[in-house]
Amino acid sequence: MAAVWMRFRAELRSHWRTWLTLAVLAGVAGGLVVAGFAGARRTDSALARHLDAYRFPDATVVFSNSISRSTVAQVGGLPLVQASALDAELAYCARDARNRPVIDNGPQAVEFLVSLDGRDGVALHRPKLLAGRKADPARPREVLLDSRAAHRFGVHPGDVIPIRVFPFFAEGDFGAFRCNPRDQNPYQLGLPTRREVRQILIACPRQRPCDEAKVLIDRVDARLRSGADFATLAKKYSDDPAGKLEGGRLWITRGQTVEPFDSTAFRLHAGAISRPLKTYYGWHIVQPLSRLLPVGRLVQLKVVGVKATTDPYPIGKVLLTPAFDRVYGFDSRYFDYERSVRLRHGADLAAFREAVLRLGGRIGPGGTPGLDAEQDAAAKIERSIHHQAQALRLAAAVGALLAFVLLAQALVRVASFSALKNPTLRALGVTPEQLVAVGVARAAAIGLPAAALAAGIAAALSPLSPIGLARELEPDPGFAFDALAVALGSAAVLVAVLLAGAYASSRAARESAVTAATSTGRVAPADALARWGFPVTLVSGVRFALARGQSAMAVPVGVSVLAGVLAVSVVAIALTFTASLDHLFSTPRLYGQNWDYRSNYTVPSAAAVWADRSLSDVARGGFNDSVLLNGRQVGVVDMDDIKGRIEPVVTNGRAPEAIDEILLASKTLDALGLNVGDTVEARVKRSVQMRIVGQGVVPEGNFNELGRGAALTFQAYRQLDPGALYYSFETRIAPGADRTATLARLERRYVTPAPGPPKTVADFGGVSELPLVVSGLLVAIAAAVLAHALVMATRHRRRHLAVLKALGFDRRQVLATIAWQATTLAALGLVVGLPLGVSLGRWAWTLFAEQIGVVPEPVTPLPLILLVVPASVLLANLVALLPARNAARTPAGLVLRAE
């Protein structure tokens, strides 16, 4: 051991700068890799920690607005419930930052939730504030937005969002959503109308027969025509409770009452008295008292804060205070009520569901199940976050592989240079095992500080994680020390350096001793260039790059070339992957949107569609429906063509056409264990056996994420649910039509904004530059290692350079020789690395696309790939500048005397 220790100290004194350089490179590379893996762990766990830290509910029960608040309140009093909060979804009209109508459903929707009991944001759903503060419960106009809503409205704390609210609107009043609350004029197109009327109602059927009611209403009508007082007769005869108290006076909104009462009340002039008319409730006489007045109270909401978004769907949310309900509740209509609950420890969600159903209330709008488990919503968010974490892990793994190869070849060079003394040491009695032990000690001296530096860098970079959506959800942003990841990562750095050092030392110890006069050997490309008369600097540079030499003077050419190939490959992979991701963002067809616009709620007539020349293809049906396929709930798109042809995006087979045909997404096929050509039982209200005729991509919806879902014709869906009605249409803009103007017109007419990327795709927008950033860091490491390689190779070749100088090489020619050496290494990396990287990038994108459920259509960015060629050559020559200058300045006589 004394000999080992003596030799180790001698190397440390003479080569500590080289060792320190390698330790820094290994530490930086290891720190980046460890930070990547630690960041992926932090990203993956952010949602779970967010839900726990901010007291998210276990479930949300949605009640129809026809259910009384007292029934809704009973849910919070169930024994299984530990805490609850009651919200109501507000009907409103608003405009976004681009002056487009905003609605509560569909793409880019925004929900306005009124906290009726003040518990939302306190007992449950505590907000993670990104800016500003929470709304004051006593102030009716203060609101707290999530980040999606803030982005849609283009607002920050201190800004104002004008909205209009409605006490009632009917299906025919859908134009209310097209109102412009920025226009303070109440008489604007689209707003519902109301007027004050009075009525006399003779109810029928009741105890008296309907013919007796008709006799009575005719008698009352005759008295009114004779000049009798309407209010007096209403108090005496009307069966309307309000009429007996107010003389029949009441305010109604168009569409609020039944026909023909509604149309009559809004057709007559003020003061006119109608003839008796029959409705479901009996016989009426109505008299309008006021002119038609617009409905829609203007409210100027003040934004006081922005919070993190946690909705599993691509919608924004705005939380209003209990004071809003007290001040504006009379003028507002609520679509439904949402009771969020947190169950007591150990309580079962299934038992809670049964307890809710036993209340006897009608759960959920339209009779659909109204209990949503938070774990289901969280799973939808977690899938997007997990994809981003996996991308970061993959980048870190590629970085680890490249860094190991680059640093291993640097350690091989150090060991080869140190092996120049091995013949002398062997002559003095040092055994090969002792030489290997010296190499391991050398690697430990490099690895220990590298591991410590890696731990420090990983901790210092922790504020950069999590990435993507998880960054917004992170409950403890900033510095975070992941002890497990850092400890394992640092240990991996140390072990990797030790393994590389042991391999390099054992390899060098096995080499036979030769004299320093060993030639560089014959190099066929260099010999050919010499025969063809190329400049001697070019020939010498190629020879230096490719000639390995022998024994102790050997230069690890293969490892150097491999390092260059890997560096270029990583860049090509990153460029290909990023270009494919950009292509996905800009090509809606790849995520199932093979149309330009889709509406919600309203559908144009077939005549209007055929008359509109700006629309080439139109289909109508539904897109947020669901069916049970072999007992599994699956979201479906059901559309029938009414002009042209709009098929679902098909990747295998064909689109469904008959009423017994269906197309399934890839993950749904896998989950059901079926293939194209098989049959599946579809059930809604009826059950039908359907044949799977195709596989494709179904747009993301309320009941499906990308990669899942089904598509069929609307007539096929109607045989499953005979009561189904059209509520959406999708269309393509005709070639030659003004796309921007047509989309703007459709948005104004049908309120729904033009579609954007689905949530699964949009969430990757925040990390789209990750591959380029990682590859840039790895290229920087590769450049540093290349510089080290050239320095070591120059020291190995110092005798050959000295001989060239003695033969007449001047300083410029020495610089040119080293430059050609670097250029040759770069060229080899490009020739092999570019096609390899492009192929791997396309393969990686195909795997990624199949995982998230989009059409795998990789893109090769040829201009950028070609740009890598001059960039690599330039970088190699810049890196070679320093060792070339040192070689040019070294006196030839000094080197030859030393040799």
Side-chain angles (χ1 to χ4, degrees), residues 37-60:
F37 282 111
R41 277 171 48 88
R42 195 179 186 188
T43 299
D44 244 346
S45 65
L47 177 62
R49 290 183 288 109
H50 180 95
L51 298 179
D52 183 64
Y54 295 103
R55 288 185 61 82
F56 269 63
D58 295 310
T60 299

Side-chain angles (χ1 to χ4, degrees), residues 475-491:
D476 299 305
F479 181 84
F481 186 75
D482 188 338
L484 178 62
V486 171
L488 292 178
S490 300

Side-chain angles (χ1 to χ4, degrees), residues 18 21-22 25 410-411 413-414 783-793:
T18 299
T21 301
L22 291 179
L25 289 175
L411 289 171
R413 285 194 178 89
V414 171
V785 173
L786 176 61
H788 179 266
L790 290 173
V791 169
M792 298 299 294

Side-chain angles (χ1 to χ4, degrees), residues 661-678:
E661 295 179 345
I662 192 170
L663 173 145
L664 300 184
S666 58
K667 294 181 181 179
T668 300
L669 275 173
D670 293 341
L672 295 172
L674 299 174
N675 297 295
V676 175
D678 294 339

Side-chain angles (χ1 to χ4, degrees), residues 313 368-369 380 623-627 633-636 700-705 708-709:
Y313 303 107
T368 57
K380 296 177 181 178
F623 65 91
N624 266 332
D625 301 312
S626 68
V627 300
Q633 186 182 41
V634 176
V636 298
E700 198 168 75
N702 288 350
F703 296 99
N704 70 288
E705 61 181 5
R708 305 179 189 275

Side-chain angles (χ1 to χ4, degrees), residues 580-595 598 637 648-649 696-701 704-708 739 755-762 845 849 852-857:
S580 300
L581 185 59
D582 291 339
H583 179 61
L584 174 63
F585 289 144
S586 61
T587 313
R589 170 183 57 82
L590 300 181
Y591 45 79
Q593 295 180 7
N594 58 338
W595 31 263
R598 173 193 276 174
V637 174
V649 177
V697 177
V698 180
E700 198 168 75
N704 70 288
E705 61 181 5
L706 280 177
R708 305 179 189 275
R739 179 181 177 83
K759 179 179 178 297
T760 303
V761 175
W845 175 255
I852 67 173
V854 300
V855 178
E857 193 172 279

Side-chain angles (χ1 to χ4, degrees), residues 22 40 80 186 224 252 255 431 563 569 578 625 649 666 719 769 792 797 861 876:
L22 291 179
L80 297 174
L224 288 172
I252 61 172
T431 65
S569 296
T578 303
D625 301 312
V649 177
S666 58
Q719 70 172 339
E769 304 301 324
M792 298 299 294
R797 309 290 193 198

